[in-house]
Amino acid sequence: MSKVERRSEKHGVSWEDEYGYVQAVKHGDTIYLSGQLSHDGEELVAPAPVDSDGTVTDFGNMGAQLRQTYANAAKLLERFGASLDDVVEEVIYTLDCDALFAVAGPVRKEAYGRPDPLVASTMLGTTRLAFPEQLVEVKFTARV
């Protein structure tokens, strides 16, 4: 029995080492991406405003965060010679399903480059994500 190739990639951000994980693992012909979020290096892109308790006060940056999230996923996939065209499943975690649903269609269609993304997609509401200013996180599975 031959051993299946296994390779990983990181973005190089501090929380990877702090938490202890990689951003992506390719195992055989499948690429698993950890939940991606809207960052550019160590900085969140379009952070949501929060009050003194860390509660989000405005969900208006949902589209910008989602757009950057797909861009970050595309960068990781590219390192494996893949693209968003190879994604077969996504799971979208959000603090507000209504705010996400209002922007997700156009952003997803733009990211996947087609009016009918051929991706199994699940949306889940949650009370908190990794960072207080984070509105959305997306986990991807791709086949190559």
Side-chain angles (χ1 to χ4, degrees):
M1 181 155 81
S2 64
K3 187 163 172 105
V4 176
E5 175 200 355
R6 191 171 182 156
R7 187 177 132 219
S8 65
E9 289 288 339
K10 292 183 174 186
H11 282 303
V13 291
S14 61
W15 54 86
E16 292 165 340
D17 290 334
E18 290 170 17
Y19 184 70
Y21 75 109
V22 295
Q23 295 288 342
V25 174
K26 181 178 183 212
H27 188 261
D29 66 354
T30 305
I31 305 167
Y32 302 91
L33 271 60
S34 295
Q36 297 299 296
L37 55 118
S38 68
H39 68 89
D40 184 8
E42 295 289 321
E43 300 296 319
L44 286 179
V45 172
V50 296
D51 64 19
S52 60
D53 294 326
T55 302
V56 172
T57 60
D58 184 344
F59 292 89
N61 290 346
M62 184 74 75
Q65 284 197 16
L66 190 58
R67 194 168 283 108
Q68 184 66 41
T69 298
Y70 281 103
N72 289 345
K75 287 178 194 174
L76 282 172
L77 290 166
E78 190 174 294
R79 294 183 196 167
F80 294 99
S83 72
L84 289 172
D85 291 340
D86 298 302
V87 172
V88 294
E89 181 181 32
E90 65 180 16
V91 179
I92 306 173
Y93 301 89
T94 185
L95 298 184
D96 188 302
C97 289
D98 291 332
L100 175 65
F101 199 74
V103 300
V107 173
R108 290 179 68 256
K109 291 172 185 180
E110 175 187 319
Y112 288 111
R114 52 184 301 142
D116 59 342
L118 299 176
V119 177
S121 183
T122 302
M123 179 195 307
L124 296 170
T126 185
T127 58
R128 173 73 198 271
L129 293 164
F131 300 100
E133 304 88 357
Q134 183 183 353
L135 300 172
V136 64
E137 183 169 317
V138 186
K139 178 184 171 303
F140 298 87
T141 304
R143 296 289 303 264
V144 291

